[in-house]
Amino acid sequence: MERLRGIADGVTVASRFLEQRFGGVLIPHVRDTDRWAPGRAEPGFARERLGVEKERVVMFLGTPRGYKGVEDLADAVGRLGRPDVILALVGTEPASATGRA
């Protein structure tokens, strides 16, 4: 699709990275990125809610889609073979097919 953008009537992008790469009009996702800045939040509540204390947490935050590599991420974390590393899928309903997988 990148090769076809020259014939498009317009280009919209969802991140500053894509805006710098392709130009177009930035339409950001509806989230407050300042709240997610490292060091801005106390992790204690989230760790308690997830039932993790000292484990290292690998987190996917967003809407899981096949093209985003969530299955690859889950496989990679599993292959570590380390009980002190967990994967948290934030934005995934636990009862969904993706959540169960």
Side-chain angles (χ1 to χ4, degrees):
M1 293 306 295
E2 289 180 27
R3 289 181 272 143
L4 298 175
R5 78 176 189 269
I7 64 171
D9 291 333
V11 175
T12 58
V13 293
S15 70
R16 295 272 181 221
F17 169 80
L18 294 174
E19 181 183 38
Q20 289 174 357
R21 183 169 178 180
F22 300 113
V25 176
L26 173 65
I27 300 177
H29 292 280
V30 181
R31 64 175 71 107
D32 184 351
T33 56
D34 291 335
R35 292 187 62 165
W36 291 95
R40 294 284 309 240
E42 169 57 45
F45 174 75
R47 285 186 165 278
E48 181 179 326
R49 187 168 180 199
L50 289 171
V52 297
E53 292 182 29
K54 297 180 182 177
E55 292 89 343
R56 293 180 181 268
V57 178
V58 176
M59 184 181 296
F60 172 87
L61 174 65
T63 305
R65 299 284 187 253
Y67 65 87
K68 292 185 177 181
V70 177
E71 289 182 15
D72 292 333
L73 179 60
D75 183 55
V77 170
R79 287 174 182 253
L80 291 174
R82 294 182 50 172
D84 64 323
V85 178
I86 65 157
L87 173 61
L89 300 179
V90 179
T92 304
E93 177 60 42
S96 70
T98 302
R100 288 190 313 273

